[in-house]
Amino acid sequence: MKKPQGLRKGAWSEEEDRLLRRCIEKYGEGKWHQVPLKAGLNRCRKSCRLRWLNYLHPNIKRGEFQEDEADLIMKMHKLLGNRWSLIAGRIPGRTANDIKNYWNSHLSKKLQSSSKKVTPNVDKIQVIRPQPRSFSSNTLSLSKFISNGQQLQQQKTQREQCDTMKHDRDQSMWWKDLILDDKDFNQSVCAADSNVLATNSGSKSTEAMPSENTMFQDIDVLWEDLLRTGFWIMDE
DNA sequence: AATTCCATCAACCGCCGTAAT
DNA sequence: TATTACGGCGGTTGATGGAAT
């Protein structure tokens, strides 16, 4: 489709902010394609949405990241990789863009320097990717997971199934088939962590992803820590 | 005081998945 | 089934300001 010509770009003025804010207050969030017209702004829908979500939204927290926030980001990133919107969903008041910027300007360097000190031979983050939906649709939520040993057994079975399936696929790309959104977050993270528990109980398949052993050693610690800090949002 | 370098972060771009038609 | 429009995401860019020279 042809792009509309003559749309304003770059930094937002106070007047534009005021117009956008007033529009959202009046009509609510969403229907972003209508926002420029309703607000009287010469901006594209994406620009309006971004400005609202990253700057004007009333719940946005300003100022320095706290130590516990940074800590949480590090842990989440270890689990999820660059899935900024998912990480942001677990840190109240911080946007995905904030977290991404903070990661790129602070934490990635911190991580680099610490990994050089501690494990000079490991220069890559091992990200646990959620399992395919075909399996995760049956995946258990964390709370049930913890409370039910039978379900743990089911997770182990799923893990084995998944490993069998992965064998026939490009091992570095298998997770790309996932269809994942915020609604699936708990499921997917729990699915990822089912791997951890499966590992702890000694059932992990020998058809493991490359470097998985070292990954799980680290994640064991992370897992304990996340449970202790009450990070997880349990299902209903 | 002037210039260069670097870090930060707001904003843009291109792509993808989904829903509607 | 194919096409189109929209919302949303992550990667990247560029403006800005502060530190260093």
Side-chain angles (χ1 to χ4, degrees):
Chain A
M1 195 179 66
K2 205 177 173 183
K3 277 188 180 177
Q5 298 296 306
L7 289 175
R8 200 174 129 78
K9 289 166 75 170
W12 281 63
S13 67
E14 283 185 25
E15 174 64 8
E16 286 178 310
D17 282 346
R18 195 181 60 77
L19 287 170
L20 179 57
R21 197 180 281 118
R22 201 172 62 180
C23 177
I24 303 293
E25 282 165 4
K26 190 171 177 183
Y27 300 104
E29 284 184 57
K31 308 263 184 194
W32 292 107
H33 62 290
Q34 297 175 2
V35 167
L37 191 68
K38 285 179 176 172
L41 284 163
N42 189 27
R43 294 273 185 174
C44 73
R45 61 187 169 95
K46 289 187 172 193
S47 188
C48 293
R49 176 181 167 271
L50 216 60
R51 184 61 177 174
W52 173 255
L53 293 178
N54 287 342
Y55 191 82
L56 297 176
H57 197 284
N59 292 343
I60 289 174
K61 195 199 274 185
R62 299 262 153 226
E64 292 266 305
F65 276 74
Q66 304 301 307
E67 207 172 311
D68 58 337
E69 288 178 309
D71 201 39
L72 193 50
I73 292 168
M74 295 280 277
K75 289 167 183 168
M76 292 286 286
H77 188 270
K78 195 162 191 173
L79 270 178
L80 299 166
N82 296 356
R83 303 175 69 88
W84 308 117
S85 62
L86 292 182
I87 296 173
R90 263 58 199 171
I91 303 180
R94 302 296 188 182
T95 70
N97 213 32
D98 284 341
I99 291 168
K100 178 171 57 183
N101 284 332
Y102 187 68
W103 174 267
N104 288 333
S105 59
H106 295 85
L107 300 180
S108 60
K109 290 169 196 167
K110 194 174 161 186
L111 190 74
Q112 269 177 358
S113 60
S114 66
S115 72
K116 272 179 191 167
K117 277 183 211 160
V118 178
T119 53
N121 294 330
V122 178
D123 57 5
K124 231 181 154 184
I125 300 169
Q126 300 295 330
V127 176
I128 298 177
R129 292 287 173 178
Q131 296 180 2
R133 176 170 275 187
S134 57
F135 297 125
S136 70
S137 62
N138 294 323
T139 299
L140 305 163
S141 66
L142 185 62
S143 51
K144 293 171 190 167
F145 193 62
I146 290 168
S147 64
N148 192 327
Q150 286 179 332
Q151 289 178 336
L152 177 59
Q153 183 59 46
Q154 189 181 338
Q155 288 294 310
K156 284 153 65 178
T157 307
Q158 286 170 6
R159 170 72 182 174
E160 283 155 13
Q161 286 174 327
C162 192
D163 284 335
T164 305
M165 187 180 176
K166 277 190 294 181
H167 185 68
D168 299 321
R169 302 169 68 170
D170 178 349
Q171 292 202 344
S172 66
M173 302 293 279
W174 66 272
W175 50 267
K176 288 204 169 191
D177 286 348
L178 290 174
I179 301 165
L180 198 71
D181 58 28
D182 284 348
K183 289 195 296 288
D184 290 334
F185 175 79
N186 286 332
Q187 272 195 340
S188 61
V189 170
C190 289
D193 281 288
S194 71
N195 297 346
V196 178
L197 293 191
T199 305
N200 289 343
S201 59
S203 70
K204 191 163 66 63
S205 165
T206 52
E207 294 278 332
M209 302 280 280
S211 307
E212 212 169 11
N213 287 336
T214 53
M215 173 170 71
F216 281 111
Q217 281 165 12
D218 289 339
I219 293 298
D220 282 349
V221 179
L222 174 61
W223 169 253
E224 293 290 332
D225 209 19
L226 289 172
L227 285 176
R228 195 178 57 249
T229 57
F231 157 74
W232 298 100
I233 294 177
M234 300 300 188
D235 65 337
E236 63 287 338

